[in-house]
Amino acid sequence: MSCTEEKPLKTELDTLECHFTWDLRKADINVTDLLTRLEYNRDINLGGKAGTACTHNSLAYVRYLLGSYEEAFTNLQRSVELIKECYRNDCDKKLIVTYGNFAWLHYHMKQNADCKSYLEKLRDIKEKNPPDSNSFPHHEVLGEKAWALFKFSRKYYGRAKECFRKALELEPEECEWNAGYAIVLYRTESNCKSPKDSSAIQQLRRAIDTNPDNDELKLLLALKLAAFELFDEAEDLVERAVEMSPESPHVIRYVGKYMRVYGSLDRSTALLKRALEVAPNSAFIHHQLGLCYKMKNVQFKELHESQRFRQLSISHFEKAITLKSGFIFAMAQLALLYGEDGQIKRADDVFQTAFPIAEEKNEGLQTLYLYYGEFQQYRARCLPLAIDYYKKCLKMAPDTRDGNKSAKNLRKIADRCLLKNTSNAEALGILDFIELVKGEKHSTAEGSEYVLESTCNEE
């Protein structure tokens, strides 16, 4: 391909709507984890033929990132087959993304003629099916783009939300886009004061109306409602979901989470173990089981059973981060349990591994600050470091659950010091910091900083 020939070809390729033009950067993606999840979705035929066709499109792009071009072609060919089986004579608009991926893949393989062939197919589709507006591509394209952004990286959740919203402006009754919009709102919403303020609750209700057979949506709504103590409706949704999808691991995992948080710990454990038999490589289910056994470890603290439950919890968290590298919340829980088990260096190593990943992904960093503070206070016995990380946690987001927990821990430290000496400058400095970050006034000088004069006792 000559340079003069390549330039206009590349210009046209850049105008396409497909994975290669959606700014899906390898640096933002955990490719191994994504590949595992997409292959699992493909194997269970998630979303039926249409959903699996989209999965093959995403798999093709991941294969391209890994340099496996032939496997990428196989995925794209399978995507075309499924789309034609699903939509028969009305499939042109559904093929826009797949044909765009084909054109780009041929371009990267220097197969100029084949690349031009797919560009010609796309021109034909565009002529037959012009978009309804110059501002948007077809809603089918926007919807697939939204799902790709959502599945590829948490960093893209904001863009995914906007794509789902635009797709629904063009096709308000499309059940898959309503479901996707509801799920991304569920994942991103925080600090709602009431159910009426919750966009996620409103959209989950809308999504269930358009797709009443989607039991996963019912459970997400149940979890949201239970957070506002609306247990009657929440438990009704859980019962309906279990009745309709008793063997679905996607449903059972959320039932297990609901039961762990709001119901029976034993029932949650039993449900999750059953789901694990169907989906043994689900990092989510291993994580949820780890949390169940961690709670049992606390319940049986004074009994011999505590050690057994702690080891079970550790084993499930270890499995979760093996299946999903960079699983920040599982890493944080695992590190705390290592500390409780007396494995101080191993715990600290996990924390030090997790911090840069959390910073890069912009995910879970506040939780890590809180947990590392607790680890330093109660296991490593280094109070200055504990205070430092509690402060980082509080300053990052004062009104979140983790921020409030850090403030509570800091107040306890200060109160213990003030019991011994009511004018302890270090303790008053901590209280001053809390109230400054919270936006309140305090009688001591604003912004004063102190460091407690305790030593680090490494175990």
Side-chain angles (χ1 to χ4, degrees):
M1 189 187 303
S2 67
C3 291
T4 55
E5 182 180 33
E6 183 174 353
K7 189 172 181 180
L9 192 60
K10 176 67 161 54
T11 300
E12 186 171 1
L13 286 165
D14 284 335
T15 67
L16 302 183
E17 284 287 346
C18 65
H19 291 70
F20 287 84
T21 61
W22 290 340
D23 198 24
L24 304 170
R25 296 185 296 272
K26 191 174 182 179
D28 295 336
I29 301 164
N30 185 324
V31 178
T32 303
D33 171 49
L34 178 59
L35 181 63
T36 300
R37 286 189 286 112
L38 290 172
E39 287 178 337
Y40 173 71
N41 290 346
R42 175 203 63 197
D43 292 344
I44 66 170
N45 196 33
L46 186 66
K49 288 182 180 179
T52 306
C54 293
T55 298
H56 276 286
N57 257 331
S58 291
L59 274 169
Y61 185 70
V62 173
R63 295 292 187 190
Y64 155 76
L65 292 177
L66 294 170
S68 303
Y69 289 7
E70 293 303 322
E71 289 182 272
F73 274 121
T74 300
N75 285 127
L76 292 178
Q77 288 161 355
R78 184 59 182 147
S79 178
V80 172
E81 291 170 4
L82 288 168
I83 289 170
K84 289 183 175 179
E85 288 175 16
C86 192
Y87 299 102
R88 299 188 182 277
N89 297 324
D90 187 30
C91 66
D92 278 0
K93 288 184 288 185
K94 308 290 185 180
L95 289 167
I96 290 173
V97 174
T98 311
Y99 283 174
N101 285 337
F102 261 125
W104 269 99
L105 202 52
H106 282 299
Y107 171 77
H108 283 298
M109 295 184 72
K110 310 298 182 184
Q111 296 170 347
N112 190 20
D114 290 324
C115 176
K116 288 182 175 180
S117 173
Y118 277 100
L119 289 174
E120 184 62 35
K121 290 175 190 267
L122 286 164
R123 290 188 209 107
D124 289 342
I125 292 173
K126 187 175 181 180
E127 288 176 9
K128 294 176 184 176
N129 304 277
D132 296 331
S133 165
N134 291 327
S135 302
F136 303 122
H138 296 289
H139 77 272
E140 293 91 345
V141 173
L142 280 165
E144 183 163 358
K145 181 179 181 179
W147 276 119
L149 289 166
F150 176 72
K151 290 179 180 179
F152 269 61
S153 174
R154 283 180 175 269
K155 290 184 178 181
Y156 303 153
Y157 278 4
R159 290 168 60 198
K161 183 162 57 176
E162 185 63 13
C163 280
F164 279 126
R165 187 187 64 76
K166 288 180 177 179
L168 287 168
E169 286 180 358
L170 296 173
E171 190 64 44
E173 300 302 316
E174 172 56 57
C175 62
E176 286 303 312
W177 311 153
N178 272 291
Y181 192 38
I183 294 169
V184 76
L185 285 174
Y186 173 86
R187 295 277 185 92
T188 56
E189 185 176 80
S190 61
N191 297 331
C192 284
K193 303 299 183 183
S194 73
K196 292 181 180 179
D197 297 328
S198 173
S199 297
I201 286 178
Q202 295 172 29
Q203 181 56 33
L204 281 163
R205 292 191 190 282
R206 169 71 180 155
I208 292 167
D209 285 343
T210 60
N211 190 355
D213 294 330
N214 190 323
D215 293 312
E216 187 174 345
L217 294 174
K218 295 186 184 82
L219 289 163
L220 295 182
L221 178 57
L223 286 164
K224 274 289 185 182
L225 293 171
F228 293 105
E229 299 184 357
L230 300 173
F231 293 113
D232 288 345
E233 184 180 357
E235 289 176 8
D236 179 61
L237 287 164
V238 172
E239 289 174 6
R240 285 161 52 196
V242 172
E243 182 181 351
M244 297 301 296
S245 303
E247 301 301 327
S248 168
H250 281 280
V251 169
I252 296 303
R253 68 181 189 172
Y254 283 117
V255 176
K257 181 176 181 179
Y258 181 91
M259 290 299 171
R260 176 177 61 79
V261 179
Y262 302 110
S264 163
L265 188 56
D266 287 337
R267 189 177 174 193
S268 175
T269 305
L271 286 166
L272 289 166
K273 286 170 72 174
R274 194 175 86 194
L276 200 61
E277 292 176 1
V278 181
N281 293 323
S282 169
F284 183 97
I285 296 174
H286 278 289
H287 181 233
Q288 290 297 316
L289 267 171
L291 291 172
C292 285
Y293 286 123
K294 184 185 177 190
M295 291 177 70
K296 283 180 175 286
N297 172 41
V298 173
Q299 284 184 355
F300 292 90
K301 203 70 177 175
E302 305 303 320
L303 302 175
H304 182 66
E305 288 288 284
S306 174
Q307 173 69 15
R308 181 172 72 88
F309 288 130
R310 182 164 66 242
Q311 293 306 316
L312 283 168
S313 184
I314 285 173
S315 69
H316 282 290
F317 286 142
E318 287 175 339
K319 185 66 174 177
I321 65 174
T322 300
L323 291 166
K324 183 182 178 182
S325 58
F327 194 162
I328 298 300
F329 298 103
M331 294 174 79
Q333 296 284 355
L334 177 61
L336 281 182
L337 284 175
Y338 279 154
E340 185 180 327
D341 203 44
Q343 303 180 62
I344 303 302
K345 185 180 184 308
R346 196 173 184 184
D348 197 63
D349 288 345
V350 174
F351 276 119
Q352 298 311 319
T353 301
F355 277 122
I357 297 172
E359 289 168 359
E360 182 182 354
K361 295 173 69 176
N362 192 27
E363 174 193 336
L365 188 58
Q366 189 182 31
T367 297
L368 276 179
Y369 285 156
L370 170 63
Y371 285 4
Y372 195 60
E374 292 179 342
F375 166 72
Q376 290 295 337
Q377 181 178 0
Y378 298 112
R379 305 303 169 192
R381 307 296 185 189
C382 184
L383 197 56
L385 263 182
I387 293 169
D388 183 39
Y389 277 88
Y390 287 148
K391 285 182 175 181
K392 286 182 178 181
C393 178
L394 176 60
K395 194 172 182 180
M396 188 171 181
D399 296 324
T400 61
R401 183 188 64 177
D402 290 339
N404 287 325
K405 181 69 182 296
S406 285
K408 184 178 179 181
N409 290 346
L410 285 168
R411 285 194 183 96
K412 284 182 178 179
I413 292 169
D415 288 345
R416 280 198 296 270
C417 294
L418 292 172
L419 282 173
K420 298 176 183 177
N421 178 2
T422 56
S423 60
N424 184 293
E426 292 90 348
L428 292 173
I430 290 173
L431 295 176
D432 185 54
F433 175 83
I434 295 169
E435 295 184 356
L436 179 64
V437 172
K438 290 278 193 182
E440 302 167 353
K441 291 183 179 180
H442 189 264
S443 58
T444 61
E446 283 195 359
S448 55
E449 293 284 347
Y450 301 93
V451 176
L452 289 185
E453 298 175 353
S454 57
T455 57
C456 294
N457 299 316
E458 297 292 343
E459 293 185 15

